[in-house]
Amino acid sequence: ITRPPSMEMLRKPVTSGSSVRLTLTTRQRVVFKLFDSKGALVHVSTVDAPAGVNQYPVSKFGLLARGTYTLQAITNIDRFSRRLIVK
């Protein structure tokens, strides 16, 4: 069974123990971009992700202060965006 491409947050509201689950149909380079509530870019990182379900700890994106953020995951095929509320 092949899952469609998707991105979801595991554990809401977001804490240091939360993770991002990214499901891809093919091996792809993924660019993660994290924006604060004012739209300022606060983090960028790139990973080579295999096909299937991949999990990344929120701590990968740095120490986040309380507030609202937008996380984007951009591949050569898909673009995902999720709002994060950090408590």
Side-chain angles (χ1 to χ4, degrees):
I1 297 174
T2 303
R3 294 181 177 198
S6 65
M7 182 173 80
E8 62 184 309
M9 292 304 305
L10 305 178
R11 195 181 299 167
K12 297 176 190 175
V14 176
T15 65
S16 60
S18 297
S19 294
V20 176
R21 180 181 292 155
L22 186 63
T23 304
L24 302 172
T25 55
T26 61
R27 180 178 187 81
Q28 297 180 58
R29 177 159 288 181
V30 180
V31 178
F32 287 104
K33 293 184 177 182
L34 187 68
F35 299 88
D36 67 14
S37 61
K38 296 178 182 174
L41 182 64
V42 295
H43 176 85
V44 176
S45 61
T46 303
V47 297
D48 288 317
V53 178
N54 299 276
Q55 197 164 308
Y56 302 99
V58 170
S59 59
K60 171 181 182 48
F61 310 117
L63 183 61
L64 301 179
R66 292 176 66 156
T68 303
Y69 298 85
T70 299
L71 177 64
Q72 293 180 348
I74 303 161
T75 73
N76 57 333
I77 298 173
D78 297 297
R79 179 184 210 105
F80 306 99
S81 183
R82 295 289 178 269
R83 194 170 121 202
L84 312 180
I85 299 173
V86 178
K87 295 283 182 177

